[in-house]
Amino acid sequence: MPRKSNAGTSSTIGSNPERNRSHNRRVVLDVVRQLGPVGRMEISRHAHLSTQAVSNIVEDLVADGLLIKTGRLRAGRGLPPIQFAVNPDGAMTAGVEIAADHISTLLVDIGGCVRAQRTLAIERNDPDTVLPLIKAEIEAARAQLKSPVPQLLGVGVVMPGPFNVEGMTSVGPTTLSGWLDFDAVSGIGQMLGSSIVLENDATAAAVGERLHGAARDLKNFCMIFFGQGLGLGIMIDGRPYRGANGNAGEIGHVLIEKGGRLCSCGQHGCLEAYASIHALTERLKAAGIHGIDYARLEQLHHDGHPVVGAWVREAAGHLAPQIAMLENLFDPEAIVIGGALPPSLLEDLIQAMQPLPLSVARHRNRSEARLIQGRTGRFTAALGAAALPLLETMTPRLDTAQAAHRDLLNEEISRAG
């Protein structure tokens, strides 16, 4: 995996007024994105900002093309308030998933609508091969759009982890080769002339489900993600938890059987060696079935192939205890499970895990399911990739908000002193 650089992931925070202004713009955009069409007074109430501040920010965002006026709300006496909404033609983001055997590319407008979608099968996944393909695929996707083409806010790039881990990097068929110590943010950013956000695929998938899928109403959840391998995205208070080096959530490399099957990371007995698409395709190959892609896997499951059924039972047996472990560790609102498995196969896997082991999630008066099927499908990671620049641009960043609060507190202490 590439060396994770913070360059290009966010702009340098300058003076305190600049920091506050950036944060407030994010707050206003997030309120309008969630509630729009909405008027200034309502924005002010939800954003906890003064009406004058909201008015100034809204005018700036309209001038930047990110918000549009949608008319006046007819209600009550007096002049009806002007309503504002996110401008779907104002900007878009690109999401690129680099997987072991394919590249998926999405263009998503800031209203959350997928404008273009492409998938390209690849035989090699090293940087020299992949980088020109990324540029060509984004250009081809943009060529599909009708004029005027929205401005590109940024590009999210996701790939399987772990990132820069000695002995576990670029090993096996579920990972990428030749990316060790390659600065993907800088390399891809220079090639495209755009800001780049780099993330592992499972974390990006969780962001995608949070903004567009089954987790829209969840702020604290975990997502088990099926790529070729198995990953985990963790969302805490509506923000992705990445860990110290961007490797939080490598659940696929949790040891579940001492001296068990060989995993692509070099260890024996990892969860990924049993409960992953790669593990399923290896079992099918052993049964003489080759050339497994998404459509073929969907057909085999539909036909009730015994190898697929056996994998479902084995994978469910290993995953169910991990669900309870995650619940005990993070106390999430729910666990979302999704990714590149066909929906019907994923549904059977969830059913095979029932009943789930006892955990802290079995509290009184619980109304929601503990385990939820993802809704964004096989393009979950690419959709999450496209959501990453949106998350950077249009949602309040907790570190920025906390920094602004510290500045205000320090100013008050200074005045008091």
Side-chain angles (χ1 to χ4, degrees), residues 199-244:
E199 193 56 81
N200 73 61
D201 51 7
T203 298
V207 171
E209 287 288 349
R210 165 81 169 122
L211 292 184
H212 304 292
R216 293 182 72 133
D217 297 325
L218 305 179
K219 294 184 68 176
N220 294 278
F221 70 94
C222 298
M223 179 173 183
I224 294 178
F225 174 71
F226 283 92
Q228 278 296 307
L230 189 71
L232 176 72
I234 304 166
M235 297 291 285
I236 298 176
D237 291 332
R239 303 291 302 180
Y241 176 73
R242 298 178 171 93

Side-chain angles (χ1 to χ4, degrees), residues 44-125:
S44 176
R45 187 168 69 85
H46 286 275
H48 304 291
L49 295 170
S50 70
T51 306
Q52 184 59 54
V54 166
S55 182
N56 293 338
I57 293 169
V58 164
E59 291 304 317
D60 286 346
L61 292 172
V62 169
D64 291 343
L66 297 178
L67 294 184
I68 54 174
K69 298 177 181 179
T70 62
R72 293 184 181 274
L73 179 66
R74 297 290 177 184
R77 297 182 178 181
L79 185 64
I82 297 174
Q83 302 291 286
F84 297 90
V86 169
N87 179 13
D89 294 321
M92 65 180 179
T93 58
V96 179
E97 177 196 13
I98 307 172
D101 61 353
H102 70 272
I103 297 172
S104 292
T105 305
L106 294 180
L107 296 180
V108 182
D109 65 38
I110 57 176
C113 178
V114 176
R115 294 292 191 93
Q117 177 177 298
R118 297 176 60 86
T119 297
L120 177 70
I122 56 175
E123 294 184 359
R124 297 177 56 188
N125 53 39

